[in-house]
Amino acid sequence: MHAVASSLREQRKLRTTADIAAAALELFSARGYADVTVAEVAAAAQVGERTLYRYFADKEDLLFAEDESMREHLRAAIDHQDAGDPPFTALRKASTVVARELDSRRDDVRRRSEVIASAPALAARERAKQADWETVLAEALRDRGIPANESRLLARIAVACYDEAVTRWLDGDKPQRKLDATLDDVFTEAAALTPR
Amino acid sequence: MHAVASSLREQRKLRTTADIAAAALELFSARGYADVTVAEVAAAAQVGERTLYRYFADKEDLLFAEDESMREHLRAAIDHQDAGDPPFTALRKASTVVARELDSRRDDVRRRSEVIASAPALAARERAKQADWETVLAEALRDRGIPANESRLLARIAVACYDEAVTRWLDGDKPQRKLDATLDDVFTEAAALTPR
């Protein structure tokens, strides 16, 4: 009974967080990040400011709501790959799994990316997030028994591939291909372009 | 005559800039970035504060004095590679050339990297610099006739390799190998780890 209640509470919390983040993206995208106040975001999401601040530390945070779950998800996706897979293959499969979930949300990802590009502090945080992903990927590979140096290098290359795939996927009014297919292409291309 | 005078002025400017940057690194490293004032850096470099501000926009800038020349240098190094070289080879050779020049300055690079890691704003700027390098490399490849997508992907991978090489080179009290040799290893390893 307690587990159910706590899980319901957890679900409500996730929903509220997502609603607030969606309202924030909508407003930032329509009127510009600098010109929107946290109070306006709270009003648009139909919550009080105190509730908003229970879930988000500050205004910037409103654009990075999914960081933690993405990070955990990415980590779990690697841990789920076959132990016998070479590390590049494990990274490729795991990041494709994560990419698949973003595919239906291209408009949001694109608007978010435009907002991020509009403010240096946001762009800096986005880059810090990428550095963080590198750390998570490298740790996951080390836990698969890959030496530390090799793990770090592969993690950097995987994040480079992921960023490139997102850039290609967001390019143009309509996507040429799905994100996961684009990412798979990029991994293939990275291998082909770096001949032994 | 005018060209000589302007070149002497240029040299003096470069020397003054380097002296101020060296004094800043020394102080930041010894006492912590936050606890050193710009006035103290000027005094240590034996210049007036107004002179310092002629060359550096602000305190952060003192740690990024070489950005512009490194960028130009990297760009020139790529342009100098054989037109027939595959792009990955051109990137590899060019970045090895740039790496060679840093090799004798490991202590400074290491102290700088410790100072950068001590302040989030500096780390953010360092990451922005890396993004900037990716742009420079991608442009250089495009100018060699490589398609835009491929250029961008290769530039990201090259910067990943460069960062990894610097990490390995700075690890430990004494370097295992020279930076350019380390970088060459990393490029070889990147190719081997990303099998077709």
Side-chain angles (χ1 to χ4, degrees), chain A:
Chain A
M1 191 59 197
H2 180 72
V4 172
S6 124
S7 150
L8 281 176
R9 206 158 37 229
E10 189 60 28
Q11 276 173 35
R12 196 168 54 224
K13 181 186 151 187
L14 284 176
R15 212 162 39 230
T16 307
T17 314
D19 286 348
I20 296 171
L25 180 57
E26 183 84 35
L27 286 176
F28 294 158
S29 181
R31 290 174 28 210
Y33 178 74
D35 290 338
V36 174
T37 66
V38 169
E40 288 170 320
V41 172
Q46 299 181 290
V47 297
E49 259 190 272
R50 275 183 54 196
T51 302
L52 186 149
Y53 278 119
R54 205 180 308 144
Y55 300 121
F56 299 92
D58 53 27
K59 186 175 160 187
E60 260 185 29
D61 226 28
L62 291 163
L63 286 159
F64 295 89
E66 294 183 16
D67 275 22
E68 206 183 316
S69 68
M70 279 285 278
R71 203 163 46 227
E72 285 168 15
H73 190 60
L74 187 60
R75 167 75 213 218
I78 297 177
D79 293 344
H80 275 92
Q81 302 308 314
D82 287 346
D85 278 342
F88 188 65
T89 307
L91 287 175
R92 176 186 194 137
K93 288 190 196 166
S95 46
T96 308
V97 168
V98 175
R100 200 164 298 143
E101 286 166 32
L102 275 183
D103 200 69
S104 61
R105 297 162 55 201
R106 185 175 180 266
D107 285 346
D108 280 352
V109 176
R110 204 168 175 211
R111 285 191 300 170
R112 178 179 177 279
S113 137
E114 283 160 3
V115 173
I116 298 270
S118 75
L122 298 173
R125 178 147 167 193
E126 183 72 1
R127 280 191 289 266
K129 186 177 90 177
Q130 284 155 0
D132 203 37
W133 280 29
E134 287 177 5
T135 307
V136 171
L137 291 177
E139 278 171 7
L141 292 184
R142 274 208 305 283
D143 289 348
R144 291 170 73 88
I146 310 296
N149 277 354
E150 196 174 315
S151 295
R152 213 174 39 229
L153 174 57
L154 275 166
R156 294 190 204 263
I157 293 174
V159 170
C161 289
Y162 191 89
D163 290 346
E164 176 60 21
V166 172
T167 301
R168 293 186 189 182
W169 176 62
L170 293 182
D171 187 43
D173 282 340
K174 296 216 165 193
Q176 303 287 312
R177 309 194 57 192
K178 292 189 175 220
L179 178 58
D180 56 348
T182 308
L183 183 60
D184 203 57
D185 287 351
V186 169
F187 270 93
T188 301
E189 198 176 312
L193 288 171
T194 55
R196 293 192 197 218

Side-chain angles (χ1 to χ4, degrees), chain B residues 22 27 35-36 40 60 74 121-122 125 128 143 180 189:
Chain B
L27 286 176
D35 290 337
V36 175
E40 288 170 319
E60 260 186 30
L74 186 62
L122 298 173
R125 180 149 167 190
D143 289 348
D180 55 349
E189 199 176 313

Side-chain angles (χ1 to χ4, degrees), chain B residues 7-37:
Chain B
S7 150
L8 281 175
R9 213 168 18 239
E10 189 60 29
Q11 277 173 34
R12 197 169 53 225
K13 181 187 150 185
L14 283 176
R15 214 162 36 233
T16 307
T17 313
D19 288 348
I20 297 171
L25 179 58
E26 184 84 34
L27 286 176
F28 294 158
S29 180
R31 289 175 28 213
Y33 178 75
D35 290 337
V36 175
T37 65

Side-chain angles (χ1 to χ4, degrees), chain B residues 1-194:
Chain B
M1 191 58 195
H2 178 74
V4 172
S6 119
S7 150
L8 281 175
R9 213 168 18 239
E10 189 60 29
Q11 277 173 34
R12 197 169 53 225
K13 181 187 150 185
L14 283 176
R15 214 162 36 233
T16 307
T17 313
D19 288 348
I20 297 171
L25 179 58
E26 184 84 34
L27 286 176
F28 294 158
S29 180
R31 289 175 28 213
Y33 178 75
D35 290 337
V36 175
T37 65
V38 170
E40 288 170 319
V41 172
Q46 298 182 291
V47 297
E49 258 191 274
R50 273 183 53 196
T51 302
L52 185 149
Y53 278 119
R54 204 180 309 143
Y55 299 121
F56 299 91
D58 53 28
K59 187 175 160 187
E60 260 186 30
D61 226 28
L62 290 162
L63 286 158
F64 295 88
E66 294 183 17
D67 274 21
E68 205 183 316
S69 69
M70 280 283 277
R71 204 161 47 224
E72 285 167 15
H73 190 58
L74 186 62
R75 167 75 212 217
I78 297 177
D79 293 344
H80 275 93
Q81 302 308 315
D82 288 346
D85 278 342
F88 188 64
T89 307
L91 287 175
R92 176 187 194 134
K93 288 190 195 163
S95 45
T96 309
V97 168
V98 174
R100 200 164 299 142
E101 286 167 32
L102 276 183
D103 199 70
S104 61
R105 298 162 55 201
R106 183 173 180 269
D107 286 347
D108 281 353
V109 176
R110 204 167 174 213
R111 285 192 299 170
R112 177 179 177 280
S113 136
E114 283 159 3
V115 174
I116 299 268
S118 75
L122 298 173
R125 180 149 167 190
E126 184 72 0
R127 279 191 289 266
K129 186 176 92 177
Q130 284 155 359
D132 203 36
W133 280 31
E134 287 177 4
T135 307
V136 170
L137 291 176
E139 278 171 8
L141 292 183
R142 273 207 306 282
D143 289 348
R144 291 169 74 88
I146 310 296
N149 278 354
E150 197 175 316
S151 295
R152 214 175 37 231
L153 173 58
L154 276 165
R156 294 188 203 264
I157 293 174
V159 170
C161 288
Y162 191 89
D163 290 345
E164 176 60 21
V166 171
T167 300
R168 293 186 189 182
W169 177 62
L170 293 182
D171 186 43
D173 281 341
K174 297 217 165 193
Q176 303 289 311
R177 311 195 56 194
K178 293 191 174 220
L179 177 58
D180 55 349
T182 307
L183 183 59
D184 204 56
D185 287 350
V186 170
F187 270 93
T188 301
E189 199 176 313
L193 289 172
T194 55

